[in-house]
Amino acid sequence: MLEIPLATAKKGGGCGCGCSTEETPTWDMRTIPKAIRNGAILGAVASLKPGRSFLLEAPHIPNPVLTQVRYVEGEAITIEILENSEGRALVQLTRAE
């Protein structure tokens, strides 16, 4: 069985102010097999409850999957690039309240 690891970031809820008592999960998309990567990410986005978010870590900004998220979810999901450095991008995806 394939295990996909999730890490947690101590950043708080979807608003970013740290008001939530739950941690925001971080998902390193390099750990997801390429054949199912976009589908897994779209499924994770679809399962977000209002006001909740997760962080997606990648070696670069994952434009193809972010375009799919925007197409499927429209304005229901906010996409925020938190970091874009050489070899690492961190994207926060948040479902609207």
Side-chain angles (χ1 to χ4, degrees):
M1 174 171 39
L2 175 67
E3 289 187 28
I4 300 175
L6 284 176
T8 55
K10 299 194 184 259
K11 179 149 178 156
C15 65
C17 75
C19 64
S20 175
T21 58
E22 294 183 36
E23 295 178 336
T24 302
T26 299
W27 202 358
D28 184 341
M29 67 183 287
R30 293 170 288 204
T31 65
I32 309 168
K34 190 169 177 112
I36 63 168
R37 187 174 296 159
N38 286 14
I41 293 168
L42 288 169
V45 169
S47 71
L48 284 173
K49 294 182 180 179
R52 301 301 306 160
S53 63
F54 73 92
L55 301 173
L56 188 60
E57 185 175 357
H60 55 80
I61 296 175
N63 286 315
V65 75
L66 296 179
T67 299
Q68 285 183 307
V69 168
R70 179 62 62 223
Y71 179 78
V72 171
E73 296 286 345
E75 298 300 316
I77 297 292
T78 300
I79 299 171
E80 182 179 357
I81 309 298
L82 301 178
E83 181 180 337
N84 184 19
S85 59
E86 184 68 33
R88 183 171 191 252
L90 192 61
V91 181
Q92 182 168 333
L93 297 110
T94 306
R95 180 162 301 281
E97 299 247 8

